Amino acid sequence: VESYQDHFKIKTNKGDYKVEKVILAMGIFAKPKRLNIEGEDLDKVYHQLKDNQEVKDKHILIVGGGNSAIEAAIKLSKNNDITLSYRRSKFIRLTEQNMKDFKKAVKKNNITLLLDSTLEKMTKKTAIIRQNHIKTEIKNDMTFILIGFNHPKEFLNRIGA
């Protein structure tokens, strides 16, 4: 892909094309953002919740405050104890429906919400979270770090996106 002032030139193995717009459908091409903390490489740590993933009777930590984290907390709270850790003091990017559903789930299910908190370390059976300068160690069987993805900036810059 080459970018020009009023068009793009696409080179393929079947020929060259001059187009006004390019749509990149990259799917999960990006790499998940990492916290770079001790224990992040343990087998119990995931960066996405698969649609068919069934989990029961676990102590689950979810890190993040976007729609993916909230949807995971809601889904998993039906059969598990959930702790949701979010670094800010309030949610700022949730859809209105997710906010409503999350508030209902907190009232109904086993969700502990820790705002202004950060995950500092994980071991095989616990997680250490800092909130208001206080470290707390919680039981932890699984962790979902749902804080977004690093997009392939170098590639996007190279093609003029």
Side-chain angles (χ1 to χ4, degrees):
V1 177
E2 295 176 8
S3 177
Y4 295 92
Q5 194 166 7
D6 63 342
H7 70 281
F8 292 93
K9 183 176 181 182
I10 310 292
K11 293 182 180 185
T12 74
N13 59 354
K14 294 185 179 184
D16 294 353
Y17 302 91
K18 180 180 172 183
V19 297
E20 290 181 29
K21 298 185 190 288
V22 175
I23 297 173
L24 296 175
M26 297 169 53
I28 304 289
F29 185 77
K31 292 182 180 179
K33 289 183 180 176
R34 297 179 51 86
L35 297 173
N36 297 315
I37 60 168
E38 187 177 335
E40 189 169 7
D41 292 323
L42 292 169
D43 290 340
K44 69 176 187 173
V45 179
Y46 302 88
H47 291 279
Q48 71 181 62
L49 178 66
K50 294 182 172 60
D51 288 336
N52 62 349
Q53 195 164 2
E54 288 296 323
V55 181
K56 292 185 179 181
D57 302 321
K58 302 286 184 191
H59 295 277
I60 300 174
L61 172 62
I62 298 173
V63 178
N67 287 303
S68 294
I70 296 304
E71 290 166 8
I74 293 166
K75 178 180 179 181
L76 293 169
S77 69
K78 294 171 184 147
N79 298 308
N80 302 282
D81 289 319
I82 305 296
T83 300
L84 182 92
S85 172
Y86 184 46
R87 65 188 171 119
R88 298 183 191 261
S89 61
K90 64 181 181 177
F91 298 110
I92 57 173
R93 299 176 302 174
L94 296 184
T95 64
E96 190 175 320
Q97 188 62 52
N98 274 348
M99 182 60 92
K100 277 185 195 176
D101 293 345
F102 183 69
K103 286 179 180 179
K104 284 182 197 173
V106 168
K107 287 180 185 174
K108 254 199 296 193
N109 298 316
N110 305 318
I111 298 178
T112 301
L113 176 60
L114 301 176
L115 296 172
D116 289 318
S117 65
T118 55
L119 175 59
E120 292 206 339
K121 178 183 175 181
M122 287 180 285
T123 68
K124 287 184 180 183
K125 296 185 179 191
T126 66
I128 298 172
I129 298 171
R130 179 186 293 271
Q131 184 183 36
N132 301 322
H133 307 290
I134 298 169
K135 288 184 181 182
T136 304
E137 189 168 15
I138 63 170
K139 285 183 183 179
N140 179 238
D141 301 311
M142 296 179 82
T143 299
F144 290 89
I145 300 175
L146 305 174
I147 58 174
F149 291 88
N150 291 312
H151 299 287
K153 291 178 188 171
E154 183 180 310
F155 169 73
L156 295 174
N157 288 336
R158 193 171 68 241
I159 65 169

